[in-house]
Amino acid sequence: MKLLFVGAFALTASLSFAQVTEPTDSVKVTPIDSLAVEEVLADDVSLGETLIVGKGVIDLQDDRKTPIAATTIKKEALENKVGAADITQAFVNTPSVYVAGQSGGFGESRIVTRGFDQSNTAFLFNGQPINGMDNGSLYWSNWSGLSDIASAVQIQRGLGSSKLAISSVGGTYNFVTKATDKKQGGFFSAGIANDHYYKSTIAYNTGLINNKFGVSVMLTHWQGNGYNDATQGEGQNYFISLGYKPARKHTLNFILTGGPQWHDQNSSNKISDLLKYGRKYNRNWGMLNGEEYNVRRNYYHKPVANLNWDWDISSKTSLSTVLYASWGRGGGSSSITTGKDKNDATKPYGILGNTEPNGLLNLQQVYDRQSEQGGEALDRVVSSINNHQWFGMVSNLNHKINNNFSFNVGFDLRTYEGQHQRQANSFLGADYITETADKQNPSYQVDQTFSQSPWKALNKFAKSYEDRIGWYYKQRINYGGLFGQFEYSGDRFTAFVQGSVSEQSNQRIDYFNYTAGNEKSEKVTNFGYNIKGGASFRISENHQVFANAGYYSRQPYQNNIFMNYKNDVNPFAKNEEILGIEAGYKIKARNFWANLNAYYTTWENRITSTSQFVGPEGNDKYPGLYNQYVYTVNRGVKQVHTGVELEVNYKPIRTLTLTGFASLGNWEYKGNSLVTNYDEQQNIVGTPKTENFDGLKVGDSAQTQLGLGGTFEIIRGLSVDADYRYNGDLYGSRVNEENGNLKLPSYNIMDAGVTYNVSLTPKNKFTFRFNVNNVLNHIYIQEASTNLQATEGTQTYKGINVNNQIYFGYGRTWNASVRFTF
């Protein structure tokens, strides 16, 4: 039964009401990464009180007995560690996992796993892949509710155990919760944090009615000013789960969830500006009509729905199917200037040309000037819109042949259409702008503006050509995959082999760059496949070794197939070839366990991208560009990633748990790359050229990590915990032949917290939590988007050229919460 329960959880509400009594006769610790789902959720809910859905669709490592490199983070840690941050904050004490980007604003964090970014790491929600189909990206601002509804997250580094036709190069993140709760009850929670952050959540479930039907719901509201200047945000999370059991062998569960939000954004800044204006300086805002106004705001609403069906055909055979759909609406804003400085016609005037002495944008001056003049706006704020609809189906049949052999087979179908355009948010006192880039409608005036509300974005966006500016194109992607797994499991030896084949078609329809009848690109079809296998041997009851290997031929993403933001097919867009090999050793005793893993990954034909900001003063490398991002795309890159990882857990007494981790990596580029630069208007900047990347380091993640942690129960219900981590061998994300890598200073962080549980009755309980992150207020550089080296006479900060653009990490932050379960 244990293995049947392992794959049984789809991503649904996290409503926890069962009490668990701790054992008093002896102390026994089970390795986290060998926990089945019922063990992971033991502190939260009894399986007998939960409808089980999603068998065979969501893949945890216990779905097969051959181990992988995996870490499971329980619901308690999610609740305690996240606070006012993204759910990614709960992953910072995991080997080979680096969390960056928090300083960009609410929901801006990013995860890098074994040196691979999120577009090359698989994220699964309710058994469905949720990485963007056009570029593989994932935006945590769209998933802010995960920390409320997830009961556990299993991080599978490297090959992973997913049976889908996907290539988890960096790893696979499985978000796991229970479905509609059988027991009536709910909870209310409220939290506060630094910088006027507030959050409240209420959840309730009806319990199982007539032993067949149940409903679980959850609503959340949050808002805050943000850690850095002018990075306010606000959002809601909603969740509805409807469970129905029409017959003994059938279970249905329908889920609808979403997290509409808006947040103002920070950008990487020059170190010199941060030293001048303060570490929290944000160059994207100014005062307008007496209020703060940030020209860069992200707003989005992405409802997600899925229907799970589990059918226990027999004691040996089961079928699991999930139908899913998502509708994304919203975008991100920025400012544009078309006017020229009266004293220097090569430089822009207005928003992008000047700033106040305090470093803020001179928005009021721009507004007053344009309001007085009227007519066409030389300065305005516009949004780049990404609307999409995505439908899919995943189904898996599992059959147990006998006590030693089992197999499963299934399919993965997806269809996606994304609509990309620009629309106006504000003319800043003027009346309209003139659009001339549309070849089908060569010149027209745009006088309509659109709200940045995520709720209004669902339906109120530019739907006719006279309201669109800049560009308007669609991306269509169809994908079909078949996958299967065969496994042998003996007393001491296990082995498995997995494989998949897939076909993907991509097409682009451009209504701005092409005349009527010529909008459609050719349809590009690519075939992909992967195969992986492994074996393990249990030396004794407490010792086990394993090895896994896999090879992927992965289709390129849509954004890499078509070049220059046009229908031009990229001749370099070949399948990416990935080879992964890993081995491990596991030991567990009565009160101790440890996992040691080693890996080797090569990745060829890949395409990477970075960005840097050109300020109001411009620079020699990008003449004519001011106050906007330049995006650099590197094509044909090869990477080699090697490393070792260690996790340990020791419980010397019942009330004390000690943990530790370490990861040592060496991630490098090999060979040459074709480098192309683009501005924010999607134009090529300069001339593409070939550069030698051989031997340069892969940046944006610490290649050396060390960590220690502990939890101590002072008295029953009252506990304290602390975690320390060190990040070293960290390089900036930008790399080129001229300047190589920018190595950043290593840093260490300590987080701590206190938890107090008070049980009023067997059903009613209060939980209080107080958390402090970066207790010692360590000042550190978390990431850099440029690679300017220090030379003689250059002003430096901690050895770094102060003209580099960086993000400082957060200083000391705090959060507190109370939760009442009823």
Side-chain angles (χ1 to χ4, degrees):
M1 292 297 291
K2 184 173 183 178
L3 288 177
L4 289 177
F5 283 127
V6 169
F9 288 85
L11 186 56
T12 54
S14 173
L15 308 177
S16 311
F17 313 109
Q19 301 294 314
V20 178
T21 303
E22 294 189 26
T24 56
D25 53 341
S26 64
V27 178
K28 182 178 180 180
V29 177
T30 306
I32 290 179
D33 66 349
S34 69
L35 292 175
V37 174
E38 68 269 32
E39 293 172 337
V40 171
L41 304 180
D43 295 336
D44 300 304
V45 66
S46 166
L47 286 177
E49 297 171 351
T50 308
L51 287 174
I52 307 301
V53 299
K55 270 186 271 188
V57 174
I58 190 167
D59 295 298
L60 299 184
Q61 81 145 358
D62 283 69
D63 287 338
R64 70 167 196 239
K65 294 184 178 180
T66 306
I68 56 174
T71 300
T72 301
I73 299 172
K74 294 193 257 184
K75 177 176 176 56
E76 180 183 24
L78 296 175
E79 293 177 348
N80 291 345
K81 304 297 184 182
V82 171
D86 300 336
I87 193 173
T88 56
Q89 178 64 30
F91 310 153
V92 296
N93 296 304
T94 306
S96 295
V97 174
Y98 188 75
V99 178
Q102 296 103 317
S103 294
F106 290 110
E108 293 283 322
S109 64
R110 297 175 288 107
I111 300 173
V112 184
T113 309
R114 286 187 176 175
F116 299 105
D117 64 17
Q118 293 184 157
S119 65
N120 301 290
T121 302
F123 296 89
L124 299 180
F125 174 101
N126 197 26
Q128 71 185 68
I130 59 176
N131 299 73
M133 286 194 68
D134 52 355
N135 58 11
S137 61
L138 183 78
Y139 301 99
W140 294 105
S141 56
N142 299 332
W143 302 95
S144 59
L146 283 177
S147 59
D148 297 310
I149 63 178
S151 287
V153 180
Q154 186 173 94
I155 302 172
Q156 303 171 357
R157 299 180 296 278
L159 297 174
S161 66
S162 171
K163 297 182 285 289
L164 299 181
I166 57 174
S167 55
S168 49
V169 183
T172 303
Y173 287 66
N174 282 294
F175 293 91
V176 182
T177 69
K178 62 190 180 65
T180 307
D181 205 298
K182 290 183 179 181
K183 192 174 182 181
Q184 184 181 12
F187 73 84
F188 173 79
S189 67
I192 60 173
N194 53 278
D195 298 291
H196 302 284
Y197 178 88
Y198 305 97
K199 179 179 179 179
S200 57
T201 302
I202 187 168
Y204 180 74
N205 33 268
T206 63
L208 199 58
I209 302 172
N210 296 327
N211 206 34
K212 286 184 176 293
F213 179 75
V215 180
S216 294
V217 297
M218 186 199 74
L219 297 172
T220 296
H221 175 84
W222 65 268
Q223 63 185 65
N225 287 348
Y227 179 82
N228 289 300
D229 296 342
T231 53
Q232 296 89 339
E234 180 180 310
Q236 297 78 39
N237 304 309
Y238 57 86
F239 173 87
I240 302 172
S241 178
L242 308 176
Y244 180 55
K245 195 170 181 65
R248 184 175 61 86
K249 293 186 177 182
H250 297 271
T251 302
L252 299 172
N253 204 91
F254 173 77
I255 301 161
L256 176 65
T257 186
Q261 59 78 39
W262 64 264
H263 67 275
D264 291 337
Q265 295 175 302
N266 188 18
S267 299
S268 59
N269 289 279
K270 286 185 177 181
I271 299 175
S272 57
D273 287 338
L274 294 168
L275 296 176
K276 180 179 179 180
Y277 300 119
R279 287 188 298 105
K280 297 185 178 183
Y281 170 64
N282 179 2
R283 62 164 177 266
N284 296 330
W285 71 286
M287 299 301 297
L288 181 60
N289 298 326
E291 297 182 356
E292 293 183 3
Y293 188 98
N294 192 318
V295 299
R296 289 189 178 269
R297 170 174 291 187
N298 175 276
Y299 59 101
Y300 216 76
H301 190 177
K302 183 184 174 72
V304 177
N306 59 56
L307 176 65
N308 290 272
W309 172 39
D310 289 320
W311 179 18
D312 292 325
I313 301 173
S314 69
S315 60
K316 293 186 176 182
T317 308
S318 62
L319 177 68
S320 292
T321 304
V322 56
L323 295 169
Y324 63 88
S326 69
W327 303 266
R329 300 288 186 270
S333 66
S334 61
S335 57
I336 295 179
T337 291
T338 53
K340 300 299 181 182
D341 190 311
K342 297 177 182 178
N343 299 318
D344 185 350
T346 65
K347 292 186 177 182
Y349 182 72
I351 300 177
L352 305 185
N354 301 281
T355 57
E356 302 291 347
N358 58 4
L360 304 185
L361 298 176
N362 55 3
L363 297 176
Q364 192 64 56
Q365 178 188 8
V366 170
Y367 185 91
D368 293 343
R369 172 174 54 82
Q370 295 201 146
S371 180
E372 180 180 349
Q373 294 174 351
E376 185 161 7
L378 299 181
D379 298 281
R380 64 269 194 188
V381 177
V382 301
S383 283
S384 300
I385 301 301
N386 177 5
N387 295 338
H388 73 257
Q389 42 273 339
W390 181 356
F391 304 94
M393 178 179 181
V394 180
S395 187
N396 182 63
L397 178 73
N398 184 77
H399 178 69
K400 185 176 181 179
I401 301 172
N402 54 39
N403 291 334
N404 300 113
F405 291 95
S406 64
F407 76 88
N408 62 67
V409 64
F411 60 85
D412 175 10
L413 303 177
R414 311 173 215 169
T415 181
Y416 170 96
E417 180 176 284
Q419 176 179 311
H420 302 267
Q421 62 189 39
R422 262 189 171 178
Q423 61 192 35
N425 299 122
S426 174
F427 298 127
L428 295 175
D431 301 318
Y432 65 88
I433 60 173
T434 301
E435 177 56 56
T436 59
D438 186 350
K439 289 189 175 180
Q440 296 192 21
N441 304 282
S443 180
Y444 56 90
Q445 289 185 353
V446 178
D447 59 9
Q448 182 69 36
T449 60
F450 294 87
S451 168
Q452 293 172 311
S453 163
W455 288 99
K456 292 181 180 179
L458 276 178
N459 186 53
K460 294 184 178 180
F461 53 88
K463 299 178 182 177
S464 58
Y465 75 85
E466 62 266 20
D467 294 330
R468 298 186 178 106
I469 56 178
W471 58 77
Y472 173 44
Y473 62 92
K474 294 181 179 179
Q475 295 174 311
R476 290 177 180 167
I477 306 171
N478 293 306
Y479 178 95
L482 298 174
F483 55 86
Q485 173 181 288
F486 183 82
E487 181 173 32
Y488 168 81
S489 177
D491 292 336
R492 302 181 67 178
F493 177 78
T494 66
F496 80 98
V497 61
Q498 292 180 2
S500 72
V501 293
S502 60
E503 187 168 87
Q504 178 174 293
S505 68
N506 299 74
Q507 189 173 36
R508 192 175 186 275
I509 304 96
D510 193 323
Y511 300 93
F512 257 49
N513 288 313
Y514 299 89
T515 57
N518 299 306
E519 303 96 341
K520 292 184 179 181
S521 73
E522 66 175 282
K523 186 176 290 186
V524 179
T525 301
N526 289 292
F527 176 82
Y529 63 91
N530 67 57
I531 184 169
K532 52 187 175 181
S536 70
F537 180 71
R538 188 171 298 279
I539 302 170
S540 66
E541 182 180 355
N542 296 328
H543 301 270
Q544 186 178 19
V545 293
F546 70 91
N548 299 314
Y551 182 82
Y552 304 115
S553 179
R554 188 182 77 175
Q555 300 97 328
Y557 287 120
Q558 169 97 5
N559 289 3
N560 297 331
I561 291 176
F562 300 103
M563 297 191 307
N564 308 328
Y565 297 100
K566 293 184 179 180
N567 293 347
D568 305 331
V569 176
N570 179 9
F572 296 95
K574 303 176 182 178
N575 276 21
E576 297 177 357
E577 310 294 336
I578 303 108
L579 171 67
I581 302 172
E582 57 189 31
Y585 166 71
K586 297 174 180 289
I587 178 175
K588 63 176 180 178
R590 186 179 64 88
N591 60 348
F592 172 83
W593 63 260
N595 299 329
L596 178 65
N597 306 299
Y599 63 90
Y600 171 83
T601 305
T602 64
W603 190 1
E604 300 185 59
N605 301 333
R606 74 158 307 196
I607 298 176
T608 66
S609 62
T610 58
S611 64
Q612 73 174 101
F613 191 81
V614 179
E617 73 282 359
N619 63 43
D620 295 336
K621 190 170 184 180
Y622 306 110
L625 296 184
Y626 305 91
N627 261 57
Q628 65 174 292
Y629 280 96
V630 174
Y631 301 95
T632 300
V633 178
N634 305 315
R635 296 182 171 92
V637 179
K638 178 179 179 179
Q639 294 177 210
V640 178
H641 294 227
T642 59
V644 293
E645 303 161 341
L646 174 68
E647 283 185 286
V648 297
N649 183 296
Y650 178 50
K651 195 165 187 175
I653 57 176
R654 184 188 65 84
T655 56
L656 177 64
T657 300
L658 302 175
T659 61
F661 72 90
S663 57
L664 305 175
N666 182 36
W667 313 325
E668 294 184 343
Y669 294 108
K670 299 293 182 182
N672 298 325
S673 174
L674 179 65
V675 180
T676 308
N677 297 310
Y678 300 89
D679 64 17
E680 288 193 27
Q681 283 66 52
Q682 303 180 345
N683 302 308
I684 293 179
V685 179
T687 303
K689 62 178 181 178
T690 299
E691 295 188 13
N692 181 14
F693 280 20
D694 199 56
L696 298 179
K697 298 291 186 179
V698 177
D700 213 24
S701 179
Q703 301 197 23
T704 298
Q705 295 178 297
L706 304 171
L708 294 172
T711 301
F712 179 66
E713 186 180 45
I714 302 172
I715 59 174
R716 175 99 37 193
L718 176 63
S719 63
V720 295
D721 58 86
D723 291 288
Y724 162 88
R725 62 186 180 276
Y726 165 87
N727 289 308
D729 293 321
L730 173 63
Y731 299 87
S733 60
R734 189 171 184 82
V735 58
N736 55 30
E737 182 177 351
E738 179 182 0
N739 292 330
N741 289 110
L742 179 67
K743 188 172 183 179
L744 303 178
S746 59
Y747 66 90
N748 53 79
I749 298 291
M750 186 175 74
D751 304 327
V754 180
T755 304
Y756 183 47
N757 293 297
V758 181
S759 295
L760 305 179
T761 70
K763 288 184 61 177
N764 300 330
K765 180 178 72 172
F766 275 104
T767 300
F768 300 90
R769 173 70 181 181
F770 181 72
N771 205 58
V772 179
N773 291 329
N774 195 358
V775 175
L776 302 179
N777 198 30
H778 184 72
I779 308 305
Y780 62 99
I781 298 175
Q782 188 179 54
E783 55 185 306
S785 57
T786 56
N787 59 341
L788 302 175
Q789 302 297 331
T791 59
E792 185 177 354
T794 301
Q795 183 183 355
T796 62
Y797 172 81
K798 294 187 176 181
I800 305 298
N801 187 328
V802 297
N803 290 313
N804 279 294
Q805 297 172 17
I806 65 149
Y807 284 108
F808 277 117
Y810 284 176
R812 184 186 297 115
T813 60
W814 62 270
N815 61 81
S817 64
V818 59
R819 178 186 179 108
F820 176 63
T821 303
F822 58 89

